[in-house]
Amino acid sequence: MRMTSSSLALEIIGYGGDPLRWGCLAECRNSCRFDPMLSKAQIKYIQSLQHKKNRQKSGHFVAEGDKIVQELMRSGKGVKAVYASAEWLASQSIPAGVQAEAVSPDALKQLSSLSTPNQAIALADIPQWPPLRPEGAVTLALDTIQDPGNMGTLIRIADWFGIRQIVCSPESADAWNTKTIQATMGSFLRVPVHVQPIPDFLDAWPSVSSYAATLHGDDITRIAAPIREGIILIGNESRGLSDAAMSRATHRITIPRIGHAESLNAAVAAGIICGRLLI
C-alpha cells in the first residue's frame, strides 16, 4: 500500500500496538536517506508529533535538547524512548524501561523540528495533571498567547515564582509544542498547564480575585502585596485580553510606564507583575 507522508503519519497514530516497534507501513516517497537503525515508521511517527492534533490523538510529545532530555529522564514522567548520538548516550544513565537508540547526525536531523538539531531527542507521554484548584493558590491565566517561545517563557516564569498551575485558552500555543518545551528550560515538568476558555474558567470561580493586565488599570506598585490567592490574567501579544475576559476580571492592573514604549512583551509583563504581586 502506498501513502503520502501526511497520511502515513495519521495511519501510524491510529495503528494498534507499540509504535516504537512497528515495521515500515509504507514505501518512502522521497529520496531521504534514513539511519539504518531507525525504521521509516519510527521517523514518520516522531515527525508527525510536530503537529498539535497528532500529539493530542497519540498522547505523546517530543522534547529536544541535551539538558531537557536529561531532566525528563530524571523526572521519571513517562519517557518512552531517547534518540541520541552514541557519544551522548555513553555519558548518560538511562532509566530502566526507556528505549535508547544511538542514531547518526543525519537521523537526528530527520527527527528534529529545529534547523540545528541537538544531540538528544526524547519521546514521552503527555502527563495527566490533577484538576485545577484556584482557591488558596495563585493561578496564571493566559488568553490567546500565540507564540510558542512566549508560552514556554511564561511557564518558566510561573515556575520561578512558585505558581503551580496555569490555565490557557484553546487558541493559545500548545504547551507540548517542541519550541514551547525548549523555552521552558525544564519547567514544563513542574507546572501543570490546563486548557479552558478563560471566561468559562473565571465564571467557574467567582470567589477568587482576578487581576487583568492592561494599559489602563491600577498601578501595581500601589496594590497591597504579596497576594496568596488570585488569578493573574495575561493577554495576547498584540491585542491584549479579550473583552469577555476583561469584563469578568475583579481588578484591572497596569505597570507604570516611564518611557515611550507602546507596550511590553507578554512574558516580560507577566514577570514584572508576578515580581510585584507575589513577593
Side-chain angles (χ1 to χ4, degrees):
M1 180 178 180
R2 189 177 287 270
M3 305 179 184
T4 65
S5 296
S6 58
S7 65
L8 175 59
L10 294 176
E11 178 69 13
I12 289 170
I13 289 175
Y15 196 84
D18 182 356
L20 301 177
R21 302 189 184 281
W22 290 329
C24 180
L25 292 182
E27 181 181 342
C28 183
R29 299 193 65 168
N30 54 43
S31 59
C32 294
R33 186 169 64 85
F34 298 114
D35 190 282
M37 297 185 70
L38 291 179
S39 72
K40 295 172 186 177
Q42 285 175 302
I43 292 173
K44 291 294 184 183
Y45 185 71
I46 297 296
Q47 291 174 338
S48 78
L49 297 178
Q50 294 177 20
H51 302 286
K52 180 179 179 179
K53 64 179 181 180
N54 294 340
R55 292 192 294 269
Q56 291 176 331
K57 190 168 185 178
S58 68
H60 293 152
F61 74 97
V62 173
E64 298 190 41
D66 308 345
K67 291 182 179 180
I68 289 177
V69 173
Q70 288 174 341
E71 192 163 355
L72 186 56
M73 288 194 299
R74 287 195 297 267
S75 75
K77 292 188 176 180
V79 181
K80 309 292 288 184
V82 173
Y83 306 97
S85 66
E87 295 79 10
W88 191 88
L89 288 175
S91 67
Q92 305 299 313
S93 177
I94 306 299
V98 173
Q99 179 180 334
E101 296 198 35
V103 297
S104 70
D106 285 344
L108 280 172
K109 188 174 181 179
Q110 289 287 336
L111 295 176
S112 176
S113 63
L114 306 175
S115 56
T116 304
N118 290 277
Q119 290 191 78
I121 294 174
L123 173 67
D125 294 327
I126 295 175
Q128 298 297 312
W129 301 116
L132 273 168
R133 290 287 183 268
E135 292 177 327
V138 175
T139 304
L140 188 60
L142 308 176
D143 190 11
T144 321
I145 299 296
Q146 295 184 321
D147 180 73
N150 268 345
M151 177 62 74
T153 302
L154 284 158
I155 295 170
R156 190 176 177 186
I157 287 169
D159 191 21
W160 178 268
F161 287 103
I163 296 174
R164 293 305 175 198
Q165 56 188 10
I166 292 174
V167 57
C168 63
S169 63
E171 301 82 13
S172 294
D174 184 23
W176 305 106
N177 180 294
T178 303
K179 292 180 181 178
T180 303
I181 295 294
Q182 277 210 313
T184 71
M185 296 299 291
S187 293
F188 72 96
L189 293 167
R190 295 178 288 273
V191 184
V193 178
H194 301 265
V195 178
Q196 185 179 357
I198 301 303
D200 293 353
F201 172 66
L202 296 174
D203 285 343
W205 301 95
S207 63
V208 180
S209 296
S210 51
Y211 301 82
T214 176
L215 291 175
H216 307 288
D218 296 329
D219 184 339
I220 59 169
T221 64
R222 298 178 182 178
I223 295 174
I227 64 170
R228 293 292 176 255
E229 176 185 281
I231 300 166
I232 298 173
L233 293 157
I234 303 294
N236 176 268
E237 291 90 342
S238 60
R239 300 186 302 274
L241 288 161
S242 66
D243 291 340
M246 189 71 76
S247 66
R248 289 164 168 80
T250 57
H251 301 79
R252 297 187 181 193
I253 58 175
T254 193
I255 300 166
R257 176 170 49 188
I258 298 172
H260 302 287
E262 291 186 358
S263 62
L264 287 172
N265 172 277
V268 170
I272 294 171
I273 291 169
C274 289
R276 172 59 191 175
L277 295 188
L278 304 183
I279 296 177

